[in-house]
Amino acid sequence: IVDPMSANNTSAHVLNAGTALQPLTVDSSGAGQGTVTSVLPGIMCNKNSAAQCTDTKQFPGGSQVALYANAPTGSIFSGWSGAGCTGTAQPCLVTMDQARSVTATFSLPLAVTVNVTTPGGSVAPGNGTVVPVASGGTTSLTVTPDAGYAPVFGGSCPAGSFVGNT
């Protein structure tokens, strides 16, 4: 629109358009499968095969986005990287004060079988149970010796520590 009378333009009106939007990109990696979703809604990265997934959405500057990773049976979520997110804690909280990028890694677990080889106690999870463990990760087993017995670790499990009965 052309102002027909520019001589009377003596003040200005400022209209705040709101908070700038910042992009959040979520990628996946690893050999496992899994899904990453967000609260504030928008991110849906579904890694359902060997192919990686990527999803980018815009969020208001200054907002905080919570990311959640879920792995189906046969895969495990093995960690976050980027935008201050590390480890496997849920959720990964991302402050959108600039463009951000986060990677979720899904792995195929190692199958650790729990075996008690002699009488004298029990272990939880139960004898013969297969426990999925991330490569380089750890798990806990609860050993309960019967009266007069003590746990002895050996075989293919030379590492670890025994605190109480865990």
Side-chain angles (χ1 to χ4, degrees):
I1 298 173
V2 176
D3 184 353
M5 189 166 210
S6 61
N8 68 357
N9 293 344
T10 58
S11 66
H13 180 72
V14 176
L15 177 61
N16 185 351
T19 306
L21 296 175
Q22 298 292 341
L24 172 58
T25 300
V26 173
D27 293 305
S28 68
S29 69
Q33 298 181 17
T35 302
V36 178
T37 56
S38 67
V39 176
L40 303 169
I43 295 291
M44 173 56 88
C45 187
N46 186 10
K47 184 182 182 316
N48 57 14
S49 66
Q52 308 307 322
C53 70
T54 298
D55 192 9
T56 301
K57 294 295 185 281
Q58 302 279 333
F59 293 97
S63 64
Q64 192 170 57
V65 179
L67 297 174
Y68 293 88
N70 294 296
T73 301
S75 291
I76 56 175
F77 171 64
S78 44
W80 301 108
S81 60
C85 297
T86 59
T88 57
Q90 303 264 7
C92 160
L93 297 175
V94 181
T95 301
M96 298 305 302
D97 54 356
Q98 63 183 1
R100 298 285 186 178
S101 180
V102 175
T103 299
T105 302
F106 296 95
S107 303
L108 298 175
L110 302 172
V112 175
T113 303
V114 177
N115 287 311
V116 175
T117 57
T118 59
S122 62
V123 63
N127 197 26
T129 302
V130 177
V131 179
V133 180
S135 180
T138 62
T139 191
S140 292
L141 306 173
T142 301
V143 178
T144 306
D146 290 339
Y149 288 86
V152 176
F153 297 100
S156 62
C157 186
S161 60
F162 189 65
V163 177
N165 67 338
T166 301

